[in-house]
Amino acid sequence: LGRFRRGDLIHRLLERLPEIAPSDRPDAALRLLARERDLSEEQRAEMIAAAFGVLDDARFAPVFGPGSRAEVALTGTAPELPPGVSVSGRIDRLVITPDRVLVVDFKSNRPAPNRIEDADPAYVTQMAVYAAVLRRLYPDRRVEAALVWTDGPKLMAVPQTLMDAALAVR
């Protein structure tokens, strides 16, 4: 099982399980992965444990709580982007509150980095682009970005200074 396939399946669990009552999630997770005939029982159990490691961790509650949505389409541009560049993407999780917008992307790399500075620069750029477009759409709210690593699990804020630096490299 390739690492990308594993990541896709964990992502699917994190997308669908938050909409299900917590008491029904274990059975739902098993049903979701039962369709994957090429998985061993151990692989299924490991992926379910990774997803529940995130879902059951209180640090991640706002990511899956009120005002949050999964798989949100995002299209637009922003002054921070090169002229003529338009973005079309899909946000793993978006949290919108009256004073804040939080854009979250799930990452299933193993091992997960311990510091955001050690993350793949492409991930920081991705979050910077999303945040730039969202700031244009929500000018009256603070826009923040974070990565959720299923290995750990870890919630890692992406500081504005790193996002600014990523967009400055054009």
Side-chain angles (χ1 to χ4, degrees):
L1 184 70
R3 70 183 180 108
F4 292 110
R5 182 75 178 129
R6 176 186 175 275
D8 288 343
L9 293 171
I10 293 172
H11 185 154
R12 185 182 313 160
L13 292 169
L14 291 173
E15 175 189 341
R16 296 184 182 166
L17 292 177
E19 307 305 321
I20 297 170
S23 61
D24 296 332
R25 288 178 184 169
D27 288 338
L30 289 170
R31 282 193 308 276
L32 281 167
L33 293 185
R35 300 178 195 141
E36 306 299 325
R37 303 270 182 229
D38 58 336
L39 297 180
S40 69
E41 289 303 316
E42 293 80 23
Q43 289 170 318
R44 282 188 187 93
E46 185 275 328
M47 286 183 249
I48 290 170
F52 278 96
V54 172
L55 292 173
D56 293 341
D57 191 315
R59 294 173 299 168
F60 304 117
V63 174
F64 300 101
S68 70
R69 296 188 339 228
E71 295 297 314
V72 178
L74 179 67
T75 304
T77 188
E80 299 92 333
L81 303 180
V85 170
S86 181
V87 174
S88 179
R90 186 160 299 279
I91 296 171
D92 288 343
R93 202 84 190 167
L94 184 65
V95 182
I96 301 173
T97 65
D99 62 337
R100 173 174 96 143
V101 174
L102 174 63
V103 57
V104 176
D105 200 65
F106 302 135
K107 300 298 180 194
S108 56
N109 304 44
R110 292 187 296 185
N114 289 320
R115 304 173 329 125
I116 188 63
E117 294 81 7
D118 297 328
D120 186 329
Y123 296 160
V124 174
T125 301
Q126 173 192 13
M127 301 312 288
V129 168
Y130 287 168
V133 173
L134 288 165
R135 270 194 298 282
R136 190 162 189 202
L137 295 172
Y138 297 94
D140 60 330
R141 299 175 202 197
R142 187 175 73 253
V143 177
E144 299 172 349
L147 297 173
V148 169
W149 301 91
T150 60
D151 183 42
K154 297 176 185 171
L155 176 64
M156 200 173 282
V158 183
Q160 188 62 50
T161 54
L162 283 181
M163 291 191 289
D164 291 344
L167 292 180
V169 182
R170 324 188 209 180

mmCIF file of all heavy atoms in Angstrom, residues 107-155:
data_model
loop_
_atom_site.group_PDB
_atom_site.id
_atom_site.type_symbol
_atom_site.label_atom_id
_atom_site.label_comp_id
_atom_site.label_asym_id
_atom_site.label_seq_id
_atom_site.Cartn_x
_atom_site.Cartn_y
_atom_site.Cartn_z
ATOM 1 N N LYS A 107 -2.220 16.186 6.468
ATOM 2 C CA LYS A 107 -1.005 15.590 5.927
ATOM 3 C C LYS A 107 -0.770 14.263 6.634
ATOM 4 O O LYS A 107 -0.865 14.171 7.857
ATOM 5 C CB LYS A 107 0.212 16.507 6.136
ATOM 6 C CG LYS A 107 0.075 17.869 5.477
ATOM 7 C CD LYS A 107 -0.053 17.768 3.970
ATOM 8 C CE LYS A 107 -0.186 19.126 3.318
ATOM 9 N NZ LYS A 107 -0.628 19.027 1.933
ATOM 10 N N SER A 108 -0.454 13.246 5.855
ATOM 11 C CA SER A 108 -0.267 11.915 6.439
ATOM 12 C C SER A 108 1.175 11.427 6.316
ATOM 13 O O SER A 108 1.441 10.243 6.503
ATOM 14 C CB SER A 108 -1.233 10.914 5.790
ATOM 15 O OG SER A 108 -1.060 10.911 4.392
ATOM 16 N N ASN A 109 2.107 12.326 6.025
ATOM 17 C CA ASN A 109 3.520 11.948 5.940
ATOM 18 C C ASN A 109 3.968 11.314 7.251
ATOM 19 O O ASN A 109 3.547 11.724 8.325
ATOM 20 C CB ASN A 109 4.402 13.179 5.692
ATOM 21 C CG ASN A 109 4.013 13.961 4.482
ATOM 22 O OD1 ASN A 109 2.849 14.207 4.235
ATOM 23 N ND2 ASN A 109 4.998 14.373 3.724
ATOM 24 N N ARG A 110 4.866 10.330 7.126
ATOM 25 C CA ARG A 110 5.461 9.708 8.305
ATOM 26 C C ARG A 110 6.961 9.665 8.113
ATOM 27 O O ARG A 110 7.395 9.237 7.044
ATOM 28 C CB ARG A 110 4.921 8.302 8.511
ATOM 29 C CG ARG A 110 3.480 8.276 8.900
ATOM 30 C CD ARG A 110 3.018 6.896 9.259
ATOM 31 N NE ARG A 110 3.080 5.983 8.122
ATOM 32 C CZ ARG A 110 2.647 4.736 8.139
ATOM 33 N NH1 ARG A 110 2.119 4.234 9.215
ATOM 34 N NH2 ARG A 110 2.732 3.974 7.091
ATOM 35 N N PRO A 111 7.729 10.072 9.053
ATOM 36 C CA PRO A 111 7.297 10.738 10.274
ATOM 37 C C PRO A 111 6.940 12.195 10.003
ATOM 38 O O PRO A 111 7.486 12.813 9.089
ATOM 39 C CB PRO A 111 8.530 10.641 11.180
ATOM 40 C CG PRO A 111 9.685 10.616 10.229
ATOM 41 C CD PRO A 111 9.190 9.887 9.004
ATOM 42 N N ALA A 112 6.034 12.697 10.792
ATOM 43 C CA ALA A 112 5.666 14.112 10.688
ATOM 44 C C ALA A 112 6.796 14.953 11.262
ATOM 45 O O ALA A 112 7.455 14.537 12.214
ATOM 46 C CB ALA A 112 4.379 14.379 11.464
ATOM 47 N N PRO A 113 7.026 16.124 10.688
ATOM 48 C CA PRO A 113 8.073 16.982 11.254
ATOM 49 C C PRO A 113 7.675 17.466 12.646
ATOM 50 O O PRO A 113 6.493 17.513 12.983
ATOM 51 C CB PRO A 113 8.154 18.141 10.262
ATOM 52 C CG PRO A 113 6.829 18.170 9.592
ATOM 53 C CD PRO A 113 6.338 16.755 9.562
ATOM 54 N N ASN A 114 8.664 17.838 13.426
ATOM 55 C CA ASN A 114 8.394 18.357 14.768
ATOM 56 C C ASN A 114 8.154 19.859 14.764
ATOM 57 O O ASN A 114 7.582 20.394 15.707
ATOM 58 C CB ASN A 114 9.555 18.020 15.711
ATOM 59 C CG ASN A 114 9.595 16.548 16.023
ATOM 60 O OD1 ASN A 114 8.562 15.924 16.216
ATOM 61 N ND2 ASN A 114 10.780 15.984 16.037
ATOM 62 N N ARG A 115 8.629 20.531 13.716
ATOM 63 C CA ARG A 115 8.481 21.987 13.623
ATOM 64 C C ARG A 115 7.975 22.352 12.233
ATOM 65 O O ARG A 115 8.324 21.693 11.260
ATOM 66 C CB ARG A 115 9.838 22.675 13.833
ATOM 67 C CG ARG A 115 10.539 22.341 15.111
ATOM 68 C CD ARG A 115 11.968 22.903 15.207
ATOM 69 N NE ARG A 115 12.665 23.016 13.939
ATOM 70 C CZ ARG A 115 13.221 24.156 13.474
ATOM 71 N NH1 ARG A 115 13.169 25.256 14.178
ATOM 72 N NH2 ARG A 115 13.839 24.162 12.314
ATOM 73 N N ILE A 116 7.205 23.402 12.145
ATOM 74 C CA ILE A 116 6.683 23.833 10.852
ATOM 75 C C ILE A 116 7.827 24.196 9.909
ATOM 76 O O ILE A 116 7.729 23.995 8.697
ATOM 77 C CB ILE A 116 5.668 25.009 11.010
ATOM 78 C CG1 ILE A 116 4.983 25.311 9.666
ATOM 79 C CG2 ILE A 116 6.343 26.251 11.558
ATOM 80 C CD1 ILE A 116 4.147 24.209 9.109
ATOM 81 N N GLU A 117 8.913 24.677 10.442
ATOM 82 C CA GLU A 117 10.068 25.042 9.609
ATOM 83 C C GLU A 117 10.671 23.831 8.903
ATOM 84 O O GLU A 117 11.371 23.983 7.902
ATOM 85 C CB GLU A 117 11.150 25.741 10.455
ATOM 86 C CG GLU A 117 10.734 27.082 10.997
ATOM 87 C CD GLU A 117 9.869 26.992 12.269
ATOM 88 O OE1 GLU A 117 9.692 25.878 12.822
ATOM 89 O OE2 GLU A 117 9.376 28.045 12.700
ATOM 90 N N ASP A 118 10.387 22.639 9.405
ATOM 91 C CA ASP A 118 10.909 21.417 8.800
ATOM 92 C C ASP A 118 9.921 20.763 7.830
ATOM 93 O O ASP A 118 10.233 19.736 7.226
ATOM 94 C CB ASP A 118 11.292 20.412 9.893
ATOM 95 C CG ASP A 118 12.404 20.943 10.781
ATOM 96 O OD1 ASP A 118 13.261 21.707 10.281
ATOM 97 O OD2 ASP A 118 12.410 20.596 11.985
ATOM 98 N N ALA A 119 8.740 21.352 7.699
ATOM 99 C CA ALA A 119 7.738 20.819 6.771
ATOM 100 C C ALA A 119 8.161 21.117 5.332
ATOM 101 O O ALA A 119 8.945 22.044 5.074
ATOM 102 C CB ALA A 119 6.370 21.439 7.050
ATOM 103 N N ASP A 120 7.649 20.349 4.418
ATOM 104 C CA ASP A 120 7.914 20.578 2.999
ATOM 105 C C ASP A 120 7.496 22.009 2.653
ATOM 106 O O ASP A 120 6.359 22.416 2.940
ATOM 107 C CB ASP A 120 7.097 19.576 2.176
ATOM 108 C CG ASP A 120 7.386 19.625 0.697
ATOM 109 O OD1 ASP A 120 7.720 20.710 0.166
ATOM 110 O OD2 ASP A 120 7.262 18.576 0.046
ATOM 111 N N PRO A 121 8.372 22.811 2.065
ATOM 112 C CA PRO A 121 8.032 24.199 1.721
ATOM 113 C C PRO A 121 6.797 24.311 0.826
ATOM 114 O O PRO A 121 6.078 25.308 0.881
ATOM 115 C CB PRO A 121 9.283 24.718 0.998
ATOM 116 C CG PRO A 121 10.388 23.848 1.481
ATOM 117 C CD PRO A 121 9.777 22.506 1.747
ATOM 118 N N ALA A 122 6.527 23.279 0.045
ATOM 119 C CA ALA A 122 5.329 23.302 -0.810
ATOM 120 C C ALA A 122 4.061 23.362 0.037
ATOM 121 O O ALA A 122 3.068 23.983 -0.363
ATOM 122 C CB ALA A 122 5.300 22.087 -1.725
ATOM 123 N N TYR A 123 4.075 22.733 1.218
ATOM 124 C CA TYR A 123 2.907 22.772 2.096
ATOM 125 C C TYR A 123 2.681 24.180 2.631
ATOM 126 O O TYR A 123 1.534 24.644 2.728
ATOM 127 C CB TYR A 123 3.071 21.802 3.271
ATOM 128 C CG TYR A 123 3.155 20.344 2.896
ATOM 129 C CD1 TYR A 123 3.699 19.430 3.778
ATOM 130 C CD2 TYR A 123 2.697 19.873 1.673
ATOM 131 C CE1 TYR A 123 3.780 18.083 3.471
ATOM 132 C CE2 TYR A 123 2.777 18.530 1.346
ATOM 133 C CZ TYR A 123 3.319 17.646 2.244
ATOM 134 O OH TYR A 123 3.398 16.310 1.937
ATOM 135 N N VAL A 124 3.752 24.858 2.989
ATOM 136 C CA VAL A 124 3.639 26.230 3.484
ATOM 137 C C VAL A 124 3.127 27.139 2.364
ATOM 138 O O VAL A 124 2.248 27.976 2.585
ATOM 139 C CB VAL A 124 4.989 26.727 4.041
ATOM 140 C CG1 VAL A 124 4.911 28.203 4.433
ATOM 141 C CG2 VAL A 124 5.397 25.882 5.245
ATOM 142 N N THR A 125 3.646 26.958 1.169
ATOM 143 C CA THR A 125 3.180 27.761 0.026
ATOM 144 C C THR A 125 1.704 27.509 -0.252
ATOM 145 O O THR A 125 0.940 28.450 -0.491
ATOM 146 C CB THR A 125 4.028 27.458 -1.221
ATOM 147 O OG1 THR A 125 5.402 27.754 -0.928
ATOM 148 C CG2 THR A 125 3.564 28.272 -2.409
ATOM 149 N N GLN A 126 1.295 26.252 -0.219
ATOM 150 C CA GLN A 126 -0.113 25.909 -0.427
ATOM 151 C C GLN A 126 -1.002 26.658 0.564
ATOM 152 O O GLN A 126 -2.000 27.270 0.186
ATOM 153 C CB GLN A 126 -0.306 24.402 -0.273
ATOM 154 C CG GLN A 126 -1.759 23.954 -0.296
ATOM 155 C CD GLN A 126 -1.938 22.512 0.136
ATOM 156 O OE1 GLN A 126 -1.029 21.878 0.683
ATOM 157 N NE2 GLN A 126 -3.112 21.975 -0.101
ATOM 158 N N MET A 127 -0.630 26.626 1.839
ATOM 159 C CA MET A 127 -1.435 27.288 2.856
ATOM 160 C C MET A 127 -1.396 28.800 2.683
ATOM 161 O O MET A 127 -2.396 29.493 2.908
ATOM 162 C CB MET A 127 -0.959 26.879 4.255
ATOM 163 C CG MET A 127 -1.033 25.372 4.509
ATOM 164 S SD MET A 127 -2.600 24.598 4.032
ATOM 165 C CE MET A 127 -3.649 25.243 5.298
ATOM 166 N N ALA A 128 -0.252 29.341 2.260
ATOM 167 C CA ALA A 128 -0.130 30.785 2.031
ATOM 168 C C ALA A 128 -1.057 31.238 0.912
ATOM 169 O O ALA A 128 -1.702 32.288 1.014
ATOM 170 C CB ALA A 128 1.321 31.131 1.701
ATOM 171 N N VAL A 129 -1.132 30.454 -0.140
ATOM 172 C CA VAL A 129 -2.011 30.790 -1.268
ATOM 173 C C VAL A 129 -3.473 30.750 -0.823
ATOM 174 O O VAL A 129 -4.251 31.671 -1.098
ATOM 175 C CB VAL A 129 -1.743 29.839 -2.455
ATOM 176 C CG1 VAL A 129 -2.817 29.963 -3.516
ATOM 177 C CG2 VAL A 129 -0.364 30.111 -3.047
ATOM 178 N N TYR A 130 -3.859 29.685 -0.135
ATOM 179 C CA TYR A 130 -5.234 29.596 0.359
ATOM 180 C C TYR A 130 -5.563 30.775 1.275
ATOM 181 O O TYR A 130 -6.631 31.390 1.154
ATOM 182 C CB TYR A 130 -5.453 28.286 1.131
ATOM 183 C CG TYR A 130 -5.524 27.035 0.296
ATOM 184 C CD1 TYR A 130 -5.466 25.793 0.906
ATOM 185 C CD2 TYR A 130 -5.649 27.069 -1.094
ATOM 186 C CE1 TYR A 130 -5.540 24.620 0.168
ATOM 187 C CE2 TYR A 130 -5.718 25.900 -1.834
ATOM 188 C CZ TYR A 130 -5.664 24.678 -1.195
ATOM 189 O OH TYR A 130 -5.741 23.522 -1.925
ATOM 190 N N ALA A 131 -4.668 31.080 2.196
ATOM 191 C CA ALA A 131 -4.916 32.177 3.137
ATOM 192 C C ALA A 131 -5.030 33.509 2.414
ATOM 193 O O ALA A 131 -5.886 34.341 2.765
ATOM 194 C CB ALA A 131 -3.810 32.228 4.196
ATOM 195 N N ALA A 132 -4.210 33.734 1.400
ATOM 196 C CA ALA A 132 -4.269 34.991 0.649
ATOM 197 C C ALA A 132 -5.621 35.159 -0.030
ATOM 198 O O ALA A 132 -6.230 36.238 0.030
ATOM 199 C CB ALA A 132 -3.138 35.043 -0.381
ATOM 200 N N VAL A 133 -6.108 34.119 -0.655
ATOM 201 C CA VAL A 133 -7.417 34.193 -1.327
ATOM 202 C C VAL A 133 -8.527 34.376 -0.290
ATOM 203 O O VAL A 133 -9.450 35.182 -0.486
ATOM 204 C CB VAL A 133 -7.658 32.941 -2.194
ATOM 205 C CG1 VAL A 133 -9.080 32.933 -2.761
ATOM 206 C CG2 VAL A 133 -6.635 32.884 -3.335
ATOM 207 N N LEU A 134 -8.435 33.666 0.824
ATOM 208 C CA LEU A 134 -9.461 33.795 1.865
ATOM 209 C C LEU A 134 -9.473 35.187 2.499
ATOM 210 O O LEU A 134 -10.539 35.696 2.844
ATOM 211 C CB LEU A 134 -9.272 32.717 2.933
ATOM 212 C CG LEU A 134 -9.656 31.312 2.472
ATOM 213 C CD1 LEU A 134 -9.101 30.262 3.425
ATOM 214 C CD2 LEU A 134 -11.165 31.184 2.330
ATOM 215 N N ARG A 135 -8.302 35.812 2.643
ATOM 216 C CA ARG A 135 -8.264 37.185 3.187
ATOM 217 C C ARG A 135 -9.030 38.137 2.280
ATOM 218 O O ARG A 135 -9.681 39.074 2.745
ATOM 219 C CB ARG A 135 -6.819 37.663 3.344
ATOM 220 C CG ARG A 135 -6.226 37.346 4.688
ATOM 221 C CD ARG A 135 -4.933 38.103 4.956
ATOM 222 N NE ARG A 135 -3.878 37.786 4.006
ATOM 223 C CZ ARG A 135 -3.134 36.677 4.053
ATOM 224 N NH1 ARG A 135 -3.344 35.793 5.004
ATOM 225 N NH2 ARG A 135 -2.201 36.469 3.172
ATOM 226 N N ARG A 136 -8.965 37.894 1.001
ATOM 227 C CA ARG A 136 -9.710 38.745 0.059
ATOM 228 C C ARG A 136 -11.216 38.495 0.177
ATOM 229 O O ARG A 136 -12.017 39.413 0.049
ATOM 230 C CB ARG A 136 -9.236 38.465 -1.362
ATOM 231 C CG ARG A 136 -9.766 39.450 -2.344
ATOM 232 C CD ARG A 136 -8.960 39.431 -3.601
ATOM 233 N NE ARG A 136 -9.383 40.540 -4.439
ATOM 234 C CZ ARG A 136 -9.190 40.575 -5.721
ATOM 235 N NH1 ARG A 136 -8.564 39.601 -6.323
ATOM 236 N NH2 ARG A 136 -9.613 41.599 -6.419
ATOM 237 N N LEU A 137 -11.589 37.249 0.436
ATOM 238 C CA LEU A 137 -13.006 36.905 0.568
ATOM 239 C C LEU A 137 -13.591 37.312 1.918
ATOM 240 O O LEU A 137 -14.789 37.552 2.035
ATOM 241 C CB LEU A 137 -13.188 35.394 0.366
ATOM 242 C CG LEU A 137 -12.856 34.850 -1.011
ATOM 243 C CD1 LEU A 137 -12.891 33.322 -1.006
ATOM 244 C CD2 LEU A 137 -13.806 35.409 -2.057
ATOM 245 N N TYR A 138 -12.736 37.347 2.952
ATOM 246 C CA TYR A 138 -13.161 37.680 4.312
ATOM 247 C C TYR A 138 -12.286 38.800 4.862
ATOM 248 O O TYR A 138 -11.530 38.598 5.825
ATOM 249 C CB TYR A 138 -13.075 36.445 5.225
ATOM 250 C CG TYR A 138 -13.995 35.326 4.824
ATOM 251 C CD1 TYR A 138 -13.546 34.290 3.999
ATOM 252 C CD2 TYR A 138 -15.314 35.300 5.250
ATOM 253 C CE1 TYR A 138 -14.389 33.257 3.624
ATOM 254 C CE2 TYR A 138 -16.165 34.279 4.883
ATOM 255 C CZ TYR A 138 -15.695 33.259 4.059
ATOM 256 O OH TYR A 138 -16.539 32.244 3.696
ATOM 257 N N PRO A 139 -12.379 39.998 4.304
ATOM 258 C CA PRO A 139 -11.483 41.085 4.716
ATOM 259 C C PRO A 139 -11.686 41.550 6.163
ATOM 260 O O PRO A 139 -10.789 42.154 6.741
ATOM 261 C CB PRO A 139 -11.797 42.198 3.728
ATOM 262 C CG PRO A 139 -13.180 41.917 3.251
ATOM 263 C CD PRO A 139 -13.319 40.419 3.267
ATOM 264 N N ASP A 140 -12.827 41.231 6.751
ATOM 265 C CA ASP A 140 -13.136 41.671 8.104
ATOM 266 C C ASP A 140 -12.750 40.645 9.176
ATOM 267 O O ASP A 140 -13.034 40.838 10.356
ATOM 268 C CB ASP A 140 -14.638 41.966 8.213
ATOM 269 C CG ASP A 140 -15.499 40.752 7.905
ATOM 270 O OD1 ASP A 140 -15.067 39.892 7.088
ATOM 271 O OD2 ASP A 140 -16.615 40.651 8.455
ATOM 272 N N ARG A 141 -12.094 39.544 8.769
ATOM 273 C CA ARG A 141 -11.751 38.483 9.729
ATOM 274 C C ARG A 141 -10.266 38.134 9.654
ATOM 275 O O ARG A 141 -9.632 38.271 8.619
ATOM 276 C CB ARG A 141 -12.566 37.225 9.430
ATOM 277 C CG ARG A 141 -14.048 37.492 9.563
ATOM 278 C CD ARG A 141 -14.860 36.317 9.160
ATOM 279 N NE ARG A 141 -16.193 36.788 8.799
ATOM 280 C CZ ARG A 141 -17.238 36.027 8.713
ATOM 281 N NH1 ARG A 141 -17.133 34.744 8.962
ATOM 282 N NH2 ARG A 141 -18.398 36.528 8.379
ATOM 283 N N ARG A 142 -9.778 37.659 10.756
ATOM 284 C CA ARG A 142 -8.403 37.155 10.823
ATOM 285 C C ARG A 142 -8.373 35.807 10.098
ATOM 286 O O ARG A 142 -9.224 34.949 10.335
ATOM 287 C CB ARG A 142 -8.032 36.993 12.300
ATOM 288 C CG ARG A 142 -6.617 36.632 12.577
ATOM 289 C CD ARG A 142 -6.330 36.623 14.092
ATOM 290 N NE ARG A 142 -6.938 35.471 14.770
ATOM 291 C CZ ARG A 142 -7.995 35.518 15.564
ATOM 292 N NH1 ARG A 142 -8.592 36.674 15.833
ATOM 293 N NH2 ARG A 142 -8.464 34.440 16.133
ATOM 294 N N VAL A 143 -7.409 35.606 9.207
ATOM 295 C CA VAL A 143 -7.272 34.345 8.480
ATOM 296 C C VAL A 143 -6.017 33.642 8.972
ATOM 297 O O VAL A 143 -4.927 34.217 8.963
ATOM 298 C CB VAL A 143 -7.207 34.571 6.952
ATOM 299 C CG1 VAL A 143 -6.982 33.250 6.230
ATOM 300 C CG2 VAL A 143 -8.488 35.241 6.451
ATOM 301 N N GLU A 144 -6.202 32.408 9.423
ATOM 302 C CA GLU A 144 -5.100 31.606 9.940
ATOM 303 C C GLU A 144 -5.039 30.283 9.175
ATOM 304 O O GLU A 144 -6.037 29.855 8.597
ATOM 305 C CB GLU A 144 -5.300 31.328 11.431
ATOM 306 C CG GLU A 144 -5.334 32.588 12.263
ATOM 307 C CD GLU A 144 -5.729 32.328 13.703
ATOM 308 O OE1 GLU A 144 -6.179 31.206 14.022
ATOM 309 O OE2 GLU A 144 -5.587 33.249 14.515
ATOM 310 N N ALA A 145 -3.877 29.660 9.209
ATOM 311 C CA ALA A 145 -3.694 28.385 8.521
ATOM 312 C C ALA A 145 -3.012 27.389 9.455
ATOM 313 O O ALA A 145 -2.218 27.776 10.321
ATOM 314 C CB ALA A 145 -2.840 28.589 7.269
ATOM 315 N N ALA A 146 -3.337 26.118 9.255
ATOM 316 C CA ALA A 146 -2.729 25.065 10.068
ATOM 317 C C ALA A 146 -2.663 23.775 9.268
ATOM 318 O O ALA A 146 -3.473 23.546 8.359
ATOM 319 C CB ALA A 146 -3.527 24.842 11.344
ATOM 320 N N LEU A 147 -1.693 22.959 9.628
ATOM 321 C CA LEU A 147 -1.578 21.613 9.079
ATOM 322 C C LEU A 147 -1.909 20.626 10.188
ATOM 323 O O LEU A 147 -1.490 20.805 11.334
ATOM 324 C CB LEU A 147 -0.158 21.349 8.573
ATOM 325 C CG LEU A 147 0.315 22.231 7.423
ATOM 326 C CD1 LEU A 147 1.789 21.983 7.137
ATOM 327 C CD2 LEU A 147 -0.528 22.002 6.186
ATOM 328 N N VAL A 148 -2.683 19.606 9.847
ATOM 329 C CA VAL A 148 -2.966 18.517 10.775
ATOM 330 C C VAL A 148 -2.210 17.306 10.254
ATOM 331 O O VAL A 148 -2.456 16.842 9.143
ATOM 332 C CB VAL A 148 -4.480 18.207 10.860
ATOM 333 C CG1 VAL A 148 -4.716 16.911 11.624
ATOM 334 C CG2 VAL A 148 -5.224 19.353 11.524
ATOM 335 N N TRP A 149 -1.249 16.868 11.062
ATOM 336 C CA TRP A 149 -0.466 15.680 10.728
ATOM 337 C C TRP A 149 -1.111 14.492 11.415
ATOM 338 O O TRP A 149 -1.295 14.498 12.634
ATOM 339 C CB TRP A 149 0.980 15.842 11.209
ATOM 340 C CG TRP A 149 1.660 17.023 10.623
ATOM 341 C CD1 TRP A 149 1.705 18.287 11.138
ATOM 342 C CD2 TRP A 149 2.393 17.088 9.401
ATOM 343 N NE1 TRP A 149 2.426 19.112 10.304
ATOM 344 C CE2 TRP A 149 2.861 18.404 9.232
ATOM 345 C CE3 TRP A 149 2.714 16.135 8.421
ATOM 346 C CZ2 TRP A 149 3.623 18.806 8.136
ATOM 347 C CZ3 TRP A 149 3.479 16.537 7.338
ATOM 348 C CH2 TRP A 149 3.916 17.851 7.202
ATOM 349 N N THR A 150 -1.459 13.473 10.654
ATOM 350 C CA THR A 150 -2.083 12.299 11.258
ATOM 351 C C THR A 150 -1.062 11.472 12.020
ATOM 352 O O THR A 150 -1.433 10.685 12.891
ATOM 353 C CB THR A 150 -2.783 11.428 10.199
ATOM 354 O OG1 THR A 150 -1.828 10.992 9.237
ATOM 355 C CG2 THR A 150 -3.894 12.207 9.520
ATOM 356 N N ASP A 151 0.213 11.637 11.725
ATOM 357 C CA ASP A 151 1.261 10.945 12.464
ATOM 358 C C ASP A 151 1.543 11.756 13.724
ATOM 359 O O ASP A 151 2.008 12.877 13.664
ATOM 360 C CB ASP A 151 2.532 10.833 11.614
ATOM 361 C CG ASP A 151 3.624 10.061 12.312
ATOM 362 O OD1 ASP A 151 3.311 9.025 12.932
ATOM 363 O OD2 ASP A 151 4.791 10.491 12.237
ATOM 364 N N GLY A 152 1.221 11.226 14.825
ATOM 365 C CA GLY A 152 1.435 11.943 16.078
ATOM 366 C C GLY A 152 0.246 11.807 17.002
ATOM 367 O O GLY A 152 0.326 11.136 17.988
ATOM 368 N N PRO A 153 -0.888 12.384 16.704
ATOM 369 C CA PRO A 153 -1.142 13.422 15.697
ATOM 370 C C PRO A 153 -0.615 14.775 16.170
ATOM 371 O O PRO A 153 -0.363 14.978 17.350
ATOM 372 C CB PRO A 153 -2.660 13.435 15.592
ATOM 373 C CG PRO A 153 -3.136 13.013 16.941
ATOM 374 C CD PRO A 153 -2.084 12.060 17.476
ATOM 375 N N LYS A 154 -0.498 15.685 15.210
ATOM 376 C CA LYS A 154 0.000 17.025 15.516
ATOM 377 C C LYS A 154 -0.840 18.062 14.790
ATOM 378 O O LYS A 154 -1.214 17.863 13.643
ATOM 379 C CB LYS A 154 1.448 17.179 15.053
ATOM 380 C CG LYS A 154 2.434 16.272 15.742
ATOM 381 C CD LYS A 154 3.809 16.420 15.145
ATOM 382 C CE LYS A 154 4.758 15.407 15.768
ATOM 383 N NZ LYS A 154 6.038 15.376 15.087
ATOM 384 N N LEU A 155 -1.091 19.150 15.486
ATOM 385 C CA LEU A 155 -1.713 20.328 14.893
ATOM 386 C C LEU A 155 -0.628 21.388 14.849
ATOM 387 O O LEU A 155 -0.058 21.739 15.880
ATOM 388 C CB LEU A 155 -2.893 20.810 15.732
ATOM 389 C CG LEU A 155 -3.568 22.095 15.270
ATOM 390 C CD1 LEU A 155 -4.205 21.920 13.902
ATOM 391 C CD2 LEU A 155 -4.619 22.532 16.278
#
